Amino acid sequence: MMAVSNSPKPPIVAMVGGGQLARMTHQSAIALGQSLRVLAVSPDDPAAQVTPDVVIGSHTDLEALRSAAAGAAALTFDHEHVPTEMLDTLIAEGVAVFPPPEALIHAQDKLVMRRKLAALGAPIPRFAAVTSLDDVDAFAAEIDGPVVIKTVRGGYDGRGVVLARDLAHAREAVAGYLADNVPVLLEERVSMRRELSALVARSPFGQGAAWPIVETVQQDGICVTVVAPAQGLSEDLAGAAEQLGLRLADELGVVGVLAVELFETTEGTLLVNELAMRPHNSGHWTMDGAVTSQFEQHLRAVLDYPLGDTRPIAPVTVMANVLGAPSAPAMGVDERLHHLFGRIPEAKVHLYGKEERPGRKVGHVNVVGAGDCDPNRVRERAERAAHWLSHAEWTDGWDGHA
């Protein structure tokens, strides 16, 4: 009979990046008897504030990556910016990297992603690589419509994306990027009804799981609200979106959580916008609104545990991001929480330990609807709570002292 190693110590999961995603993953790790190891740039990073197992260093420093991975059962990510060649080196040295670099590249490089999705027959906007301004003219003539310019690497939260007003603006934007040696691609600007997100997870064993399709509401390129599930979405389209997410996770060899950001077009079809191979803003609602949160699921996946139940626990859950106000309120966060809980006691608050700056994601609020709740009312309360936390102002002018 073969002896089985049964260490009394829980496995170590190491996460590259010390942001809020790592912080919230650590919260789920605690429940599993673990302490997430984090590679953070600074002791002040959100995750570094709460986990005792911190390596301070850069994600572009191979020795720092080695230190974070030492003795870990799995190395995973809170962002996608680690150089692929460094991950290949770690794998050659015996580190289990999830998602593997051959999958992660599709979340790092938009041109690689677009070409792969096209080869897989996934629905995507028309696109073109750019080497000169002639490519801009040719693509604009081909699509006969508005053009979007995207940096091939590094863009997020609206950065690295230009919605061209006309051909002259597109040429000007591309010329600026090319002059700085920044690779860009072109896409057609989609006529869309709204943006959706298909959040799924996949384990090394190949098990997949999908949460309900959600609507993501964007403002200035930043997600401000998520409604779960997306209201008014047909069962056929919701099923197609879930199956697309699961298929892409399998085809790309993803291990962990995959977010497939989607456009629902005005014609009622789906197009893939972006991919993220990590816990994602569109999945924060799962912390309070689903049987298994995306953060626990990500840990289960990278450790190859059976995946958790993804069912929602209520008919609707709304997440609203807490975005830093133009100027920080005089009222302290503690007092803001006091007032918030007095007025909206069902609000579930998740703050990230970040300094307040204009437009910065410093936390989020989940409101879980109950029974025959009105989705619009749930959304109103979530957004009102998030605005209060960032501005110390009630959107309806309510005065708690009156």
Side-chain angles (χ1 to χ4, degrees):
M1 189 173 176
M2 183 182 294
V4 177
S5 173
N6 189 19
S7 171
K9 295 183 178 179
I12 296 171
V13 175
M15 183 168 269
V16 178
Q20 63 260 27
L21 300 179
R23 183 185 178 107
M24 290 182 278
T25 304
H26 174 65
Q27 292 173 231
S28 289
I30 292 170
L32 301 178
Q34 301 171 14
S35 177
L36 188 77
R37 180 181 296 159
V38 170
L39 175 60
V41 174
S42 160
D44 296 326
D45 285 356
Q49 296 173 23
V50 297
T51 177
D53 197 353
V54 182
V55 175
I56 301 299
S58 170
H59 61 274
T60 59
D61 181 343
L62 182 58
E63 289 308 312
L65 290 167
R66 282 178 170 140
S67 295
L75 179 75
T76 188
F77 310 96
D78 138 303
H79 61 72
E80 292 104 344
H81 307 313
V82 183
T84 305
E85 61 273 14
M86 290 189 180
L87 297 179
D88 289 332
T89 298
L90 293 176
I91 290 171
E93 294 172 356
V95 177
V97 175
F98 296 130
E102 59 269 22
L104 190 65
I105 186 66
H106 299 97
Q108 295 175 320
D109 188 306
K110 292 182 178 65
L111 190 55
V112 170
M113 180 262 289
R114 281 282 179 253
R115 287 169 171 162
K116 180 66 172 180
L117 293 182
L120 293 174
I124 56 173
R126 287 176 289 178
F127 73 98
V130 179
T131 56
S132 71
L133 291 180
D134 291 340
D135 295 324
V136 182
D137 296 336
F139 184 71
E142 175 191 343
I143 67 168
D144 190 27
V147 174
V148 179
I149 301 101
K150 292 184 176 181
T151 55
V152 170
R153 284 178 173 261
Y156 68 97
D157 282 349
R159 299 168 193 160
V161 177
V162 177
L163 306 178
R165 296 184 299 272
D166 50 33
L167 179 57
H169 184 211
R171 286 175 59 90
E172 177 188 353
V174 169
Y177 282 123
L178 294 180
D180 293 333
N181 293 315
V182 176
V184 294
L185 59 80
L186 305 172
E187 289 183 2
E188 64 176 323
R189 188 168 179 179
V190 175
S191 177
M192 64 174 177
R193 179 184 173 206
R194 56 182 171 175
E195 294 190 49
L196 305 172
S197 178
L199 194 74
V200 302
R202 180 178 178 274
S203 70
F205 181 73
Q207 184 188 10
W211 286 271
I213 303 303
V214 303
E215 178 180 357
T216 63
V217 181
Q218 315 290 322
Q219 186 174 301
D220 299 326
I222 298 176
C223 177
V224 293
T225 303
V226 172
V227 181
Q231 301 298 294
L233 187 65
S234 71
E235 286 188 18
D236 288 346
L237 211 56
E242 286 186 24
Q243 288 303 313
L244 176 61
L246 290 167
R247 179 168 79 90
L248 291 181
D250 189 56
E251 295 271 13
L252 299 177
V254 174
V255 173
V257 168
L258 167 70
V260 182
E261 298 179 55
L262 299 161
F263 295 135
E264 181 186 357
T265 70
T266 52
E267 289 78 32
T269 61
L270 299 173
L271 295 175
V272 178
N273 178 26
E274 304 279 0
L275 301 178
M277 294 184 192
R278 50 173 171 75
H280 190 254
N281 201 173
S282 67
H284 290 352
W285 70 273
T286 63
M287 297 177 77
D288 302 295
V291 175
T292 306
S293 79
Q294 65 166 343
F295 301 102
E296 178 185 341
Q297 195 81 298
H298 190 74
L299 289 169
R300 288 197 193 203
V302 301
L303 290 169
D304 209 8
Y305 292 165
L307 299 181
D309 188 337
T310 53
R311 286 176 299 171
I313 64 172
V316 63
T317 298
V318 177
M319 182 225 72
N321 275 325
V322 180
L323 303 174
S327 58
M331 183 186 294
V333 174
D334 181 61
E335 188 176 355
R336 281 178 254 166
L337 285 170
H338 183 102
H339 286 281
L340 172 64
F341 292 144
R343 186 178 186 195
I344 308 179
E346 76 274 24
K348 305 295 287 186
V349 176
H350 301 272
L351 297 177
Y352 306 153
K354 295 165 75 171
E355 181 183 347
E356 294 178 88
R357 293 205 296 262
R360 190 185 200 191
K361 292 178 185 175
V362 296
H364 71 270
V365 176
N366 288 332
V367 174
V368 180
D372 57 352
C373 58
D374 177 0
N376 292 325
R377 182 175 181 273
V378 176
R379 176 174 173 177
E380 179 185 65
R381 288 174 76 78
E383 291 178 338
R384 179 166 292 156
H387 188 274
W388 166 260
L389 280 176
S390 58
H391 291 71
E393 297 171 352
W394 292 111
T395 51
D396 60 354
W398 187 75
D399 183 357
H401 296 292

